[in-house]
């Protein structure tokens, strides 16, 4: 059971890092560093696909947030009841 907890912890760290990156890539109301990074991604994906890029980042943020929350709750339940 300890190996499973270790695997979940590693995946949780990966999800948290991915969540941080995806949130920072989204452009906010003010243009700053995230706007500059988003602008670079926009140039890579084309100006017409800027809305598609934002929609993709929103979807990735949702997936990362849900995965992070599920893994965190699962880890707490495992440590409380099975360890």
């Amino acid at each position: 059971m300890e190996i499973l907890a270790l695997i979940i912890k590693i995946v949780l760290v990966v999800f948290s890092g991915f969540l941080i990156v995806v949130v920072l890539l989204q452009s906010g109301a003010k243009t700053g560093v995230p706007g500059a990074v988003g602008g670079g991604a926009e140039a890579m994906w084309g100006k017409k696909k800027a809305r598609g890029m934002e929609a993709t980042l929103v979807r990735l943020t949702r997936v990362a947030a849900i995965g992070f929350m599920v893994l965190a709750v699962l880890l707490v339940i495992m440590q409380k009841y099975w360890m």
Side-chain angles (χ1 to χ4, degrees):
M1 196 57 85
E2 292 179 17
I3 294 174
L4 183 61
L6 179 65
I7 292 171
I8 291 175
K9 287 177 186 177
I10 291 170
V11 174
L12 187 65
V13 168
V14 170
F15 264 91
S16 63
F18 181 69
L19 182 62
I20 291 169
V21 169
V22 172
V23 168
L24 288 176
L25 283 175
Q26 292 181 3
S27 61
K30 296 180 181 180
T31 57
V33 174
V37 174
E42 181 181 329
M44 183 178 79
W45 286 350
K47 293 183 179 182
K48 294 181 180 179
K49 296 186 180 182
R51 292 183 190 150
M53 180 189 68
E54 286 296 322
T56 303
L57 288 174
V58 168
R59 270 186 247 118
L60 288 174
T61 303
R62 285 183 190 148
V63 168
I66 291 170
F68 178 81
M69 287 184 276
V70 168
L71 287 171
V73 170
L74 180 65
L75 188 61
V76 168
I77 291 172
M78 277 182 57
Q79 289 182 344
K80 180 155 179 91
Y81 296 110
W82 289 308
M83 291 187 160

